[in-house]
Amino acid sequence: MTPNDTENAARAYEPAAAEGAPASAPEAAPNGDALAALEAEKLDLKDKLLRTLADMENLRRRTEREVADARTYAVTNFARDMLNAADNVRRALESVPADARASAEGPLKALVDGIELTERDLIKTLERHGVKKVEPQGQRFDPNLHQAMFEVPNPDVTSGTVVQVVQTGYVIGDRVLRPALVGVAKGGPKAEAKPAEA
């Protein structure tokens, strides 16, 4: 082998070595980039999964609340219509004078007793379905439950107290089905402010 052949062999080897070195470096870089990309994708998918789970939990809670509301308030329209029947039964009883009712005998007594029984049964049925009477007589006027129809001048009663009920109110659950129509006292002493709760 001549010295030129040795140089040529060395030169031939150098480019191969030079090409081999960069070839192994890019191979390592794509592995690192691929690993970083997979890690970012994993974090993104984990975030999406957690958000989806939170959304599903919120949907479950909202659905439970809507189902509970539907159970509680499903009879609202029917109950509102039945209040007219309850009012008519009450008017029928009130149309019979107290002394006539006390001295009633025979068919009149049976009729009055039947109407009273019907009214009690109707009220019990409404209560069984979550409909309750609002009894505002003597209570402080509450605009959420009562509707003031007129003011009654009365210096003996605290101003803002319900002194007369024109029409009974009803609530279903925690919602007003029909506000009580009331007369409110005026001209009496001012109501005391409620102490702040701690």
Side-chain angles (χ1 to χ4, degrees):
M1 195 182 239
T2 62
N4 279 342
D5 289 341
T6 309
E7 279 181 42
N8 288 338
R11 280 190 200 134
Y13 181 73
E14 282 173 11
E19 286 175 15
S24 64
E27 223 175 82
N31 282 344
D33 289 345
L35 186 60
L38 287 174
E39 192 66 32
E41 185 179 354
K42 179 185 99 169
L43 291 174
D44 183 49
L45 290 173
K46 183 178 180 181
D47 181 57
K48 287 180 180 176
L49 173 67
L50 292 176
R51 288 177 188 272
T52 302
L53 289 174
D55 287 345
M56 292 307 295
E57 182 63 20
N58 290 338
L59 177 64
R60 184 187 64 77
R61 287 184 186 146
R62 189 170 48 251
T63 303
E64 283 177 357
R65 189 170 47 248
E66 287 172 359
V67 166
D69 282 354
R71 280 192 193 117
T72 303
Y73 305 115
V75 297
T76 298
N77 289 334
F78 177 73
R80 193 172 286 126
D81 291 340
M82 291 308 297
L83 296 183
N84 292 330
D87 290 342
N88 290 334
V89 170
R90 172 63 13 209
R91 285 185 199 107
L93 286 171
E94 289 172 353
S95 69
V96 179
D99 58 340
R101 191 184 304 181
S103 63
E105 293 180 8
L108 179 59
K109 181 166 177 35
L111 177 65
V112 169
D113 290 347
I115 293 173
E116 286 175 344
L117 180 63
T118 302
E119 182 186 38
R120 281 195 306 269
D121 193 40
L122 181 59
I123 297 300
K124 282 182 186 174
T125 301
L126 288 171
E127 286 177 354
R128 216 175 24 247
H129 292 283
V131 179
K132 294 184 177 72
K133 267 185 172 183
V134 174
E135 301 286 353
Q137 185 73 35
Q139 294 181 358
R140 178 111 178 100
F141 176 76
D142 181 355
N144 298 316
L145 297 173
H146 313 139
Q147 182 176 343
M149 300 302 292
F150 51 87
E151 291 183 324
V152 178
N154 190 339
D156 300 333
V157 180
T158 306
S159 287
T161 302
V162 174
V163 292
Q164 186 176 350
V165 179
V166 177
Q167 186 178 52
T168 305
Y170 290 88
V171 293
I172 183 168
D174 57 356
R175 295 182 188 169
V176 175
L177 190 59
R178 182 179 76 188
L181 304 181
V182 299
V184 181
K186 160 185 155 176
K190 296 278 186 205
E192 293 180 18
K194 290 183 179 178
E197 294 180 13

